[in-house]
Amino acid sequence: ARPTDYLSFFCLGRREYREDSKLVRMNSKAAGANQNDRFMIYLHSKMLIVDDEYIILGSANINERSMSGTRDTEIAVGAYQPAYVSSADAMSPGGQVECFRKSLWAEHFGDGSVLLEQVESKICMEKIRFIGWRNWETYCSQEKGVVSGALLYPYEVSESGIVTPAVELFPDSRASIIGRRTMLPRLMTT
């Protein structure tokens, strides 16, 4: 199995035509994005849903700065419903964690009726990746198109785990798809 058969990364993006998008100063950093009606959606939260049974949502990064407890102030909440767990009789837990995941997928992937069931299947992941890639292509296209939702990060992962970007930069920016090492001292970044 390839790593991307069961693990993928998405970001949120929006592209739409807005009359007021032309009001940005042309020499500003936002001018390129506004000219093409592309808008990244920046959130400083992380969420993990495990098997539709457990959810954790918080602000911490996995680094010394967030985890030491002496530097940044972070918050997180976790939820688990012991009465709603998967079993041999019922693949789907059926609790509020599952309902929340389904509503997120419907919002970010469009009509999620096919995607909402059998989330453990490779076919489900293939469909999600297809929608995410189609959203990415619409987002990056020179043609005006409307997209709002999950964009598949444009990278490939080999069977041995080597990550290769499909494109170097996010559109309208100099932001690297796979990031880069900083020249700042470790004390300032972790």
Side-chain angles (χ1 to χ4, degrees):
R2 297 178 59 86
T4 53
D5 288 349
Y6 300 98
L7 180 65
S8 291
F9 296 93
F10 298 85
C11 58
L12 297 177
R14 186 184 77 215
R15 186 169 188 193
E16 61 186 28
Y17 179 75
R18 297 180 358 188
E19 291 290 333
D20 64 345
S21 69
K22 307 303 181 210
L23 300 177
V24 174
R25 288 190 338 260
M26 290 315 292
N27 61 351
S28 72
K29 290 182 179 180
N34 274 316
Q35 179 179 348
N36 294 302
D37 298 307
R38 280 190 272 261
F39 307 94
M40 292 299 293
I41 300 171
Y42 295 99
L43 302 174
H44 187 71
S45 61
K46 292 83 179 166
M47 179 174 54
L48 174 69
I49 298 175
V50 179
D51 296 335
D52 283 345
E53 295 177 14
Y54 181 79
I55 182 172
I56 185 166
L57 174 65
S59 62
N61 295 307
I62 301 176
N63 61 22
E64 189 272 334
R65 181 176 175 155
S66 287
M67 304 306 242
S68 73
T70 59
R71 295 179 72 185
D72 287 355
T73 303
E74 307 290 355
I75 189 167
V77 62
Y80 172 69
Q81 296 175 287
Y84 296 97
V85 295
S86 298
S87 67
D89 298 332
M91 285 293 289
S92 175
Q96 292 302 308
V97 175
E98 179 182 359
C99 290
F100 181 69
R101 193 255 320 148
K102 287 180 177 182
S103 70
L104 280 176
W105 280 24
E107 180 179 352
H108 296 302
F109 293 109
D111 177 22
S113 56
V114 177
L115 303 173
L116 299 179
E117 307 305 325
Q118 298 178 339
V119 296
E120 72 284 354
S121 73
K122 185 177 175 183
I123 293 170
C124 181
M125 181 60 82
E126 288 170 355
K127 289 178 181 176
I128 290 174
R129 289 180 58 81
F130 174 80
I131 292 169
W133 185 253
R134 185 185 63 208
N135 287 348
W136 171 261
E137 288 182 328
T138 302
Y139 182 80
C140 295
S141 172
Q142 295 300 319
E143 301 294 320
K144 296 288 183 176
V146 175
V147 67
S148 182
L151 312 175
L152 181 66
Y153 262 90
Y155 64 87
E156 292 297 324
V157 182
S158 71
E159 289 187 32
S160 62
I162 304 296
V163 177
T164 308
V167 295
E168 186 178 340
L169 304 173
F170 279 98
D172 307 319
S173 76
R174 293 182 6 215
S176 172
I177 294 295
I178 60 171
R180 60 179 71 105
R181 297 210 182 273
T182 181
M183 300 305 287
L184 294 173
R186 181 171 160 72
L187 180 62
M188 295 177 68
T189 61
T190 59

